[in-house]
Amino acid sequence: PALDTAACSPFGSWGALQAVDMSAAKLSERLATLQYLTRASAGKRTGRNIGVHANVATDLEAVHVPIPVKMADYRRVAAPPRLIVDRFELRRWQPAQPDFADPASVRTFYAAAEAFVCAAVGAARVHVFDHTLRTSGVSSLNAADGASAAGAVLRVHGDYTADSAPTRLAQLAAAGAITVEPAPSRFAFVNVWRSVDQQQPVLSHPLALCRPRSIDYARDTWSYHMHFEDRVGRNLAIEAQAGHEWGYYPRMTADEALLFFAFDSSAADGDVGVVHTAFDDPAIDGAGVPRRSVELRTVALWD
C-alpha cells in the first residue's frame, strides 16, 4: 500500500508517537550478515586512505568481521520508524529524473531535494552540498565526480562524529558550498537515499539502518579516519552488540526516498547519527540486477 505521507509528518503527531510503546512491537524479522569493524590493533588507527596522493597515512587499518543479526522488515513492523523519534523514515518522493552529466539538471534536482528535506525536518533553510551515485558491484567506494558511480558500502558505519560534523560544516562554509549566515541555532546533516532505477526495485545491496535507541554511542563507537588528498575526514565505526535493532525497506522503488539524520547538533544522549550499511539480502535473489542509487547529502539550518 502507498505510504500515508501526512501520517509520516513529524508535525502534528508528536503526542501520538509518545504514546507508542516501540519496544513492544512484534517485528517481522529474518537473519542477515553485516560487516562490522573491529577495534584497531596497538599503534594503529581505524580507517583507510582514499585515492593515490601524498597525504597517505601508514598507521591505518580496517578489519571487518561478519556478524549475523536480526533484520526487521520496516514496512511490516507494528510501529514504523518515524523521523522525529528514530531519526529516519521512508517517504514518497517523485522528483524529475535528473541527468547527472548535466549541471543544470543536477541543480534542479538539488532544489527539489532541498524543498523536500526542509519540509520534512522543519528547518529554516537546507543546502545540498554533494551527491554520490552508487552501483553495486563497482569496486571503488568513492566516485571521482558526480556523474560516475561508486560501489555500495558494505560496512556498518555512521557518516560523522561529534567532532567531525562541526569541522565539515566549517569546511563547506569556507569553500562557499553552503551559506551559514545568519549563524544557525541548530544544524543537521540529513541524507536522502533513493533508487534511480526506473525499471526495477532495489533487489541487491539494500540499505539497512539501526535504530539509534539501541546504540550506546559512548561505549560502542569510535572514529574511522579517511585520508583524502586535501583533508582528513572522520566518520563513525561501531562495535557489534546483540541489542542493535536493524531493519530495512525491501524492494524500494524510484518514487520512494529514505531520509535520515547523519548528524544533528540538537540530538541527546550522545546520538551522533543513524548507523547504516548496505548488505546482502538473503530473502531476495538480486543476481544480475545491480542496485543503482543516489545519496544526496544536505545540511539543514535552523535560525
Side-chain angles (χ1 to χ4, degrees):
L3 282 175
D4 180 355
T5 53
C8 293
S9 171
F11 308 108
S13 57
W14 176 233
L17 287 170
Q18 283 183 310
V20 174
D21 179 8
M22 302 287 280
S23 64
K26 299 297 184 182
L27 305 184
S28 172
E29 294 176 333
R30 58 176 57 91
L31 284 178
T33 300
L34 303 184
Q35 299 294 324
Y36 277 86
L37 282 159
T38 60
R39 302 275 182 172
S41 54
K44 298 288 187 179
R45 295 178 298 155
T46 304
R48 75 181 193 276
N49 292 290
I50 298 176
V52 179
H53 49 75
N55 189 27
V56 170
T58 59
D59 64 339
L60 298 179
E61 69 176 17
V63 179
H64 301 85
V65 290
I67 302 292
V69 303
K70 292 180 179 179
M71 184 67 65
D73 179 346
Y74 282 146
R75 295 187 187 275
R76 300 177 60 190
V77 296
R82 294 290 185 253
L83 196 60
I84 198 168
V85 173
D86 300 283
R87 323 301 287 165
F88 65 90
E89 186 175 327
L90 185 70
R91 300 278 183 97
R92 291 287 184 195
W93 188 43
Q94 295 177 284
Q97 181 75 350
D99 176 357
F100 288 101
D102 178 5
S105 180
V106 171
R107 285 194 296 270
T108 299
F109 185 50
Y110 278 16
E114 288 167 352
F116 177 56
V117 173
C118 199
V121 303
R125 49 215 153 97
V126 171
H127 303 280
V128 177
F129 58 90
D130 73 10
H131 72 272
T132 299
L133 290 167
R134 296 198 184 275
T135 299
S136 55
V138 174
S139 58
S140 174
L141 300 183
N142 299 89
D145 54 60
S148 58
V153 181
L154 294 161
R155 169 176 63 85
V156 174
H157 68 285
D159 287 351
Y160 298 94
T161 68
D163 295 327
S164 71
T167 298
R168 186 63 176 142
L169 182 72
Q171 289 171 339
L172 291 168
I178 64 171
T179 301
V180 293
E181 297 297 334
S185 61
R186 171 190 174 193
F187 77 94
F189 288 110
V190 182
N191 286 11
V192 181
W193 192 98
R194 67 183 289 265
S195 172
V196 293
D197 191 331
Q198 300 293 313
Q199 307 301 321
Q200 298 279 356
V202 174
L203 296 177
S204 59
H205 295 156
L207 193 69
L209 305 101
C210 188
R211 291 194 196 241
R213 69 186 184 191
S214 69
I215 299 173
D216 184 333
Y217 286 84
R219 181 192 65 188
D220 299 335
T221 66
W222 70 100
S223 291
Y224 181 97
H225 300 265
M226 299 173 292
H227 278 245
F228 296 87
E229 182 174 12
D230 58 345
R231 64 185 177 91
V232 177
R234 283 177 295 162
N235 66 20
L236 207 66
I238 182 167
E239 193 168 48
Q241 298 291 344
H244 290 167
E245 297 177 33
W246 285 98
Y248 79 121
Y249 299 91
R251 298 177 179 270
M252 277 184 63
T253 56
D255 62 351
E256 298 176 312
L258 260 174
L259 294 109
F260 64 92
F261 281 87
F263 177 84
D264 185 352
S265 65
S266 73
D269 300 323
D271 171 0
V272 180
V274 175
V275 170
H276 53 284
T277 181
F279 76 106
D280 290 312
D281 183 359
I284 298 175
D285 180 9
V289 186
R291 187 193 91 190
R292 297 173 54 240
S293 63
V294 63
E295 57 203 54
L296 290 146
R297 300 178 186 89
T298 82
V299 59
L301 305 169
W302 285 258
D303 293 336

